[in-house]
Amino acid sequence: MQRRMRGWTWIGGPLLVVLGLLHAGGPPARAQSGPRVEARVSADSVKVGERFTLTLVVTRAAGRDATFPSVDAGSAVFGDLHAVRRGAVRTRRSSTARRVDSVAYEVTTFALDSAHVPVLPVRLASGGDTTVVGTPPRTVPVVSVVGPDAKALRTPAALIPFSRPAWAWGLLALLTAAALGGGAYGWWRWRGRDADEADAPEAASAYEAASARLGRLERRHPSGPEAAEAFYVDLTEALRVYLVRRIGVRALEQTTAEVVAALRRRPTMHEETIRRLQAVLEQADLVKFADAQPSPAESRSVLEEAQAVLDALEATRRRHDAQATDDTPSSA
């Protein structure tokens, strides 16, 4: 009898534990975390010009809508990668309150040794509230396309020196003198132009002022966190001051989402230009508010894109002004 009771205790103990877990509803569910976004590549390493797949995956709340970068965003968003095409956005349910969105890009790169993938922004919108989340930056190794017999390659031999005729030395002296004279004349004209601009009243157009401010950023090399933040602050200020003076948008006191919404309410603004401006401002927001650290090459690419957006905005504004002038009835 005692032996039978000990056998029942040995079997019934674990059974009671299992029944207790089932009655309690299993282990407690983990609290839902915030939005997460990651970038996945289809290969550990690629060759120059080889096409591969970049997949962005975002886990978000069911009440938010995810917007991924467009395929024509350029190097300002994709860094060393060149996006060829983008697939459809796929959505699956991970729980009753969570969704997982993913989109695949066919990309290639022409970088040497490694391709840098910067912080890729994904916008999450819920009603009028928009949040920008970014992927961690990563590097994709790029293997050499030189074959295994590269060891047989040799450096070119030194050129055999030839004596120069006397007339060649005379021609070289004349060309040197002409270059020095042209440089001195150009420096004199440049100094005179700067003096005229310093004495002239503040009558330059908003476009010229913004373009000049962006041009001055070309001489800066934002390699550290503080330098990068100051670089992007000046870049966005140039664009926002232009939007205030030329377009009439209160861009200095609005967020990026509010600036984009204000521009979309203007029928003369092109959607493509607005999306390019939004990409530049969001890249700057990631540096200023999310501690993103772009390389100097990426910053130069964003600067070039900012100048291109400024040119497009000014061209649109001038066409609108010309059309308004043509539509004005002339007095008899």
Side-chain angles (χ1 to χ4, degrees):
M1 183 67 178
Q2 292 179 353
R3 185 178 301 173
R4 184 178 304 172
M5 290 297 295
R6 284 198 299 267
W8 171 252
T9 303
W10 182 79
I11 297 174
L15 181 61
L16 290 176
V17 173
V18 173
L19 291 175
L21 287 176
L22 292 176
H23 179 71
R30 293 180 298 178
Q32 299 292 345
S33 59
R36 300 191 309 273
V37 58
E38 58 179 320
R40 304 170 182 172
V41 293
S42 60
D44 295 333
S45 62
V46 297
K47 296 180 180 179
V48 175
E50 179 184 7
R51 296 192 178 187
F52 58 101
T53 302
L54 168 71
T55 305
L56 297 185
V57 182
V58 59
T59 304
R60 43 89 180 178
R64 287 184 172 271
D65 296 325
T67 302
F68 296 90
S70 61
V71 72
D72 56 351
S75 59
V77 172
F78 290 100
D80 292 337
L81 301 184
H82 174 70
V84 179
R85 63 174 57 91
R86 193 187 88 169
V89 178
R90 301 179 180 273
T91 302
R92 63 180 177 86
R93 177 185 300 180
S94 62
S95 66
T96 57
R98 304 284 286 178
R99 299 291 185 273
V100 177
D101 295 336
S102 62
V103 62
Y105 297 83
E106 185 179 359
V107 298
T108 185
T109 183
F110 298 96
L112 300 178
D113 297 331
S114 62
H116 179 65
V117 184
V119 177
L120 299 173
V122 178
R123 297 195 304 274
L124 299 177
S126 176
D129 181 26
T130 301
T131 303
V132 179
V133 294
T135 64
R138 62 178 303 167
T139 300
V140 179
V142 180
V143 299
S144 174
V145 294
V146 180
D149 59 343
K151 296 181 179 178
L153 298 177
R154 299 180 180 179
T155 57
L159 297 177
I160 300 176
F162 292 92
S163 60
R164 298 178 182 272
W167 63 266
W169 291 108
L171 179 61
L172 180 61
L174 289 176
L175 291 176
T176 303
L180 291 175
Y185 175 75
W187 177 82
W188 175 76
R189 289 293 303 274
W190 176 72
R191 290 295 301 271
R193 183 188 62 185
D194 282 357
D196 293 341
E197 290 178 355
D199 296 336
E202 190 179 353
S205 67
Y207 168 76
E208 292 169 349
S211 184
R213 188 167 182 179
L214 293 177
R216 288 192 293 270
L217 291 177
E218 294 179 356
R219 298 189 290 269
R220 292 165 58 174
H221 303 282
S223 57
E226 295 182 358
E229 182 176 352
F231 177 88
Y232 281 93
V233 166
D234 290 346
L235 185 148
T236 53
E237 265 194 15
L239 294 175
R240 288 175 178 272
V241 170
Y242 170 83
L243 292 174
V244 172
R245 296 178 56 189
R246 186 70 166 135
I247 309 299
V249 176
R250 297 185 301 171
L252 290 175
E253 56 191 71
Q254 293 178 333
T255 64
T256 296
E258 291 171 340
V259 170
V260 171
L263 289 175
R264 284 188 172 136
R265 287 194 294 267
R266 297 172 179 265
T268 57
M269 292 290 105
H270 296 294
E271 177 63 24
E272 175 65 19
T273 304
I274 296 175
R275 287 195 295 108
R276 294 175 66 185
L277 173 65
Q278 183 178 10
V280 171
L281 294 180
E282 287 181 349
Q283 285 294 110
D285 289 343
L286 289 174
V287 176
K288 294 187 293 183
F289 307 120
D291 296 330
Q293 298 297 322
S295 65
E298 293 170 17
S299 298
R300 286 193 296 271
S301 177
V302 174
L303 178 59
E304 293 174 359
E305 180 67 8
Q307 181 63 56
V309 170
L310 179 65
D311 295 341
L313 288 170
E314 180 65 15
T316 301
R317 182 63 185 178
R318 290 183 179 181
R319 283 195 299 268
H320 175 68
D321 293 344
Q323 183 178 2
T325 302
D326 294 340
D327 294 341
T328 303
S330 58
S331 58

